[in-house]
Amino acid sequence: MNQSIGIVLVSHSAELASGLRDLLAQIGSDRVPVAVAGGTEDGGLGTSYDRIVAAIAEADRGAGVIVLPDLGSSVLTTLAVLEDHPRTDVLLVDAPFVEGAVAAAVTAAAGADLSAVAEAARQARGIMKVESFEPAAAPAAAADAAAEPEHPQGASAAVTLPATLHARPAGRLAQEAAKFASTIRIEYGGKSVNPTGVLAVMSLGATIGGTVTVHAEGQDADSAVKTLAAILAEVE
C-alpha cells in the first residue's frame, strides 16, 4: 500500500486531541496522517460538525480513514457527519481514545489496510494496564511435571535493556515485527506477547536492566530476532 490509512481524533478538547497527535508522532508514526477535530469553533469545550468534516478530508490520502472519538457528543456528532456523508472507506471505531489511537497509528505505519487498522484500535480495549494478582495454580500432576516442555524450533536472543521499554521503541518493535513471516514472541518477567501489537509490548512493563527475550519460529526467524534484538539493545 503506497498511502497510509488516515486517523481522525475527535475530542471535546482541542488540547487533548493535539496532545495525542503529538504522542503518535513521537512513537514513530509521524508518516501516518493524523488530523484533529477538537473543541468548538469559538475555542470552547465540545464537538464541531464542521471540524470533523474538515479533519476527515485532511487525513484522507486515498487509503481510507478511521475516526476515533473520545466520548458522548463526539460520537453522536461523528455519526451525524457519516450519515450525511456516507463512505465505505471512513470508519467510526469504538476503541479507547489514547490506546486505540496508538495501536491504530503503529499498525497503519506498518502498511496495514483499513480493516486491520480499525481492528488494532478495537483490540486495544483488551490490553490490561495493571496486572491482577491471582492465587498460584495447584502443582501439576507428576506425569505432567515429568513431561518435557515444548520449545518451538527457531531462533532466540536475550537482551538486557539499557533503558525502560517505553512507547517509542515499542512502536518500532511493532512496526518491524509486522514485516516478518515468522511467528514471534517477546518475553519479560514471565509474560509473553506478540510484538506486532504496540500496546502488548508496552504492557510487559519492561524496565532498565531487565532481560527481554525474543523468540521467533519460521523461515526468517534469524533475521527477525536480530532485528528486534538490535532495537531492544538501543532503547534510550
Side-chain angles (χ1 to χ4, degrees):
M1 182 179 296
N2 295 324
Q3 300 295 338
S4 172
I5 303 300
I7 299 173
V8 171
L9 306 174
V10 182
S11 174
H12 286 68
S13 167
E15 290 81 4
L16 177 59
S18 296
L20 181 52
R21 177 171 57 184
D22 291 343
L23 172 63
L24 300 185
Q26 286 295 314
I27 64 173
S29 301
D30 52 332
R31 78 177 185 87
V32 177
V34 179
V36 299
T40 60
E41 282 81 356
D42 60 3
L45 294 176
T47 51
S48 164
Y49 181 105
D50 291 338
R51 287 191 170 189
I52 295 172
V53 171
I56 291 173
E58 179 185 344
D60 188 6
R61 297 292 187 274
V65 174
I66 70 164
V67 182
L68 293 168
D70 55 6
L71 46 82
S73 65
S74 65
V75 179
L76 298 177
T77 308
T78 301
L79 284 171
V81 168
L82 298 183
E83 288 175 0
D84 292 343
H85 307 277
R87 289 177 51 180
T88 58
D89 62 345
V90 177
L91 303 179
L92 173 62
V93 178
D94 182 8
F97 192 53
V98 176
E99 293 90 338
V102 170
V106 172
T107 305
D113 61 15
L114 182 63
S115 62
V117 172
E119 183 59 23
R122 295 187 191 101
Q123 289 180 357
R125 187 177 300 280
I127 300 297
M128 295 178 61
K129 292 184 179 181
V130 180
E131 286 291 332
S132 59
F133 294 94
E134 299 179 356
D144 293 335
E148 292 190 8
E150 295 183 3
H151 294 287
Q153 298 298 312
S156 64
V159 180
T160 300
L161 291 177
T164 295
L165 184 54
H166 53 89
R168 188 180 302 173
R172 287 187 60 202
L173 281 170
Q175 291 181 44
E176 291 301 318
K179 298 177 181 179
F180 294 98
S182 295
T183 299
I184 309 172
R185 305 293 295 178
I186 289 184
E187 296 179 358
Y188 175 82
K191 293 178 61 178
S192 176
V193 301
N194 181 338
T196 58
V198 61
L199 296 181
V201 174
M202 294 174 65
S203 75
L204 290 174
T207 57
I208 182 172
T211 299
V212 177
T213 303
V214 185
H215 298 285
E217 179 185 11
Q219 60 187 17
D220 51 7
D222 286 337
S223 295
V225 168
K226 289 178 182 178
T227 298
L228 300 192
I231 294 173
L232 290 167
E234 296 171 356
V235 173
E236 59 183 15

